Amino acid sequence: MCSSDLNTLLVLERTQPPFDTARVLAVNLPVISYGRTPEQVRQFYRDVQRRISTLPGVEHVSSGFGVPWRDARALTINFTFAMDGAARQNGQDDLRARFRSISPGFFETLGVPMTQGRDFRDTDRDGSERAVIISQSVAQKLFPGQQALNRHLRWTDPVMKFIGISQEPRRIVAVVPDVDDENIIPQPAMTIYQPSDQEGWGGRLFVRAAGDPYALVPIITRTIHEMASDQPVERASTLEDIRAEVLTPNRLNVIVFGGFAGVALLISVVGVAGVLAFSVSARAREFGIRMALGADPRTILTNVLREGLVIAGIGVAAGLALGFVFARVVARYVSDAQLPGVLALIASAVVILTAAVIASAVPAARAATVNPVEV
């Protein structure tokens, strides 16, 4: 398990997200709708973005309803949709896609280029034609080798009417690369984005800084409180640090299980070395008699090493067999239980066999150099 966790952690550490994380600051701005109309709430977020965009050291500002990785529960939301003109097989159910509500400039803030089309505009509001941006996976799934722009889709999920999202047709205005904001290791992401100024929710502010993002936190907080003193400003952190925070359990698992594995290996080495050293030392009289009868000390040493390797080899083989059986039994109750990797097994076997050779060779060499008469 330790080897598996270590391999997983190494893969996670090496994998880089397809957007900027070091200079993008994410700030929670919980929606306060009490005493405000939906349009007033949306206007407040627009004003916040406009004010913060004028601050020194700020390159881009946008908003959304979920922070990558941190808001995992909110980001798993997905709904069924239908696309006009898309090729579908008979009886095929509507596809599902992740729902994302964002403001204009969201992709520019994260450093994600447009593949085709345009970004959302300030004119994409209530009363205007409904617009959406789709991910590359959606375009390839429904329109392989074709143009997806200016086609229309609509949400077909019955849940939509309960959360205030209409099922009217929406025009595709752009295609963007897949942005997997749920998983540390990016995967193909069927995602549909729509402007929060038309429908959807905000609550998360994203600020791309020219320098140190954390240097902007005090002035951002002060600016927002000047606009609304009761507005909470919470959990300001860069996407890079959020990613590191999500990886913390994996690092802790590696440390804990690695420590247990090291102790287990140390106990095995000490046990094997102690048993073999005692058994060889107890045969000192035998070695003396054999040398008195003309046996070559080198031959005795070679035989002792061979016997020690055979005994240790039997122990290693038995340990592997029992470990495999035990892992199969545990896997019935713990879904993530798995055998260590091949390299870890080989390294452990080499360490134990090396300890067996040393434990056998030291007392055997000492016994082979003494006077047979004295023994």
Side-chain angles (χ1 to χ4, degrees):
M1 184 177 293
C2 175
S3 173
S4 174
D5 289 336
L6 179 58
N7 291 335
T8 301
L9 179 61
L10 292 177
V11 172
L12 293 175
E13 293 284 6
R14 287 197 300 263
T15 304
Q16 295 300 317
F19 49 86
D20 190 7
T21 59
R23 295 193 296 130
V24 177
L25 190 72
V27 184
N28 285 16
L29 296 182
V31 177
I32 299 180
S33 57
Y34 179 75
R36 297 177 180 175
T37 65
E39 177 56 31
Q40 287 175 328
V41 172
R42 288 193 286 266
Q43 185 61 48
F44 173 75
Y45 281 100
R46 287 194 290 265
D47 292 340
V48 167
Q49 294 175 62
R50 179 179 53 81
R51 287 279 300 274
I52 292 178
S53 65
T54 62
L55 297 177
V58 173
E59 292 186 347
H60 301 289
V61 182
S62 61
S63 64
F65 83 106
V67 175
W69 310 305
R70 187 166 69 189
D71 294 330
R73 182 171 299 179
L75 294 174
T76 56
I77 186 172
N78 61 84
F79 301 112
T80 58
F81 70 98
M83 188 84 73
D84 295 343
R88 296 178 58 190
Q89 299 177 356
N90 293 333
Q92 180 182 1
D93 294 333
D94 289 341
L95 295 174
R96 302 189 74 89
R98 300 173 181 178
F99 173 89
R100 298 292 184 266
S101 174
I102 61 174
S103 73
F106 176 81
F107 298 106
E108 187 175 12
T109 302
L110 266 62
V112 178
M114 291 283 174
T115 303
Q116 302 175 33
R118 65 168 178 85
D119 196 356
F120 292 137
R121 300 168 179 164
D122 291 337
T123 55
D124 293 322
R125 300 186 181 182
D126 262 347
S128 63
E129 181 186 21
R130 302 190 184 278
V132 292
I133 294 174
I134 63 175
S135 66
Q136 191 71 41
S137 287
V138 176
Q140 292 176 349
K141 179 75 173 179
L142 296 176
F143 304 105
Q146 303 179 43
Q147 179 66 259
L149 295 182
N150 297 318
R151 297 178 185 264
H152 291 80
L153 65 81
R154 55 187 175 83
W155 296 109
T156 60
D157 202 301
V159 175
M160 285 301 193
K161 62 182 180 181
F162 297 106
I163 60 176
I165 305 297
S166 72
Q167 296 180 323
E168 298 177 16
R170 304 166 188 275
R171 187 166 65 91
I172 300 173
V173 299
V175 178
V176 295
D178 287 0
V179 176
D180 188 354
D181 50 11
E182 294 183 41
N183 305 295
I184 296 297
I185 299 179
Q187 300 175 10
M190 298 270 291
T191 311
I192 296 176
Y193 304 88
Q194 61 183 53
S196 54
D197 285 345
Q198 283 187 337
E199 289 177 312
W201 316 277
R204 304 294 183 264
L205 189 70
F206 300 93
V207 180
R208 184 184 181 91
D212 179 15
Y214 288 106
L216 297 173
V217 174
I219 190 171
I220 289 175
T221 304
R222 185 168 59 252
T223 300
I224 296 174
H225 284 165
E226 288 174 355
M227 301 173 62
S229 59
D230 59 344
Q231 172 64 52
V233 181
E234 305 170 344
R235 305 184 68 181
S237 183
T238 63
L239 296 182
E240 184 177 56
D241 288 344
I242 293 172
R243 183 175 182 273
E245 181 181 345
V246 173
L247 288 177
T248 298
N250 298 87
R251 294 192 180 100
L252 182 60
N253 285 341
V254 170
I255 294 173
V256 172
F257 286 110
F260 284 136
V263 172
L265 182 60
L266 178 61
I267 292 174
S268 300
V269 169
V270 172
V272 169
V275 170
L276 289 177
F278 176 78
S279 63
V280 174
S281 298
R283 298 172 61 190
R285 186 177 183 185
E286 172 196 339
F287 298 152
I289 294 174
R290 291 170 62 180
M291 286 188 294
L293 295 176
D296 185 8
R298 182 177 300 177
T299 302
I300 294 176
L301 181 59
T302 301
N303 291 337
V304 169
L305 294 178
R306 185 184 301 113
E307 292 171 2
L309 282 174
V310 169
I311 295 173
I314 294 173
V316 169
L320 290 174
L322 292 175
F324 178 77
V325 173
F326 182 70
R328 296 293 295 272
V329 172
V330 173
R332 297 179 182 178
Y333 306 97
V334 182
S335 59
D336 291 335
Q338 51 187 290
L339 285 172
V342 176
L343 291 178
L345 294 175
I346 293 176
S348 300
V350 169
V351 171
I352 292 176
L353 293 177
T354 301
V357 170
I358 296 175
S360 301
V362 172
R366 187 166 53 246
T369 59
V370 300
N371 189 329
V373 177
E374 294 178 359
V375 175

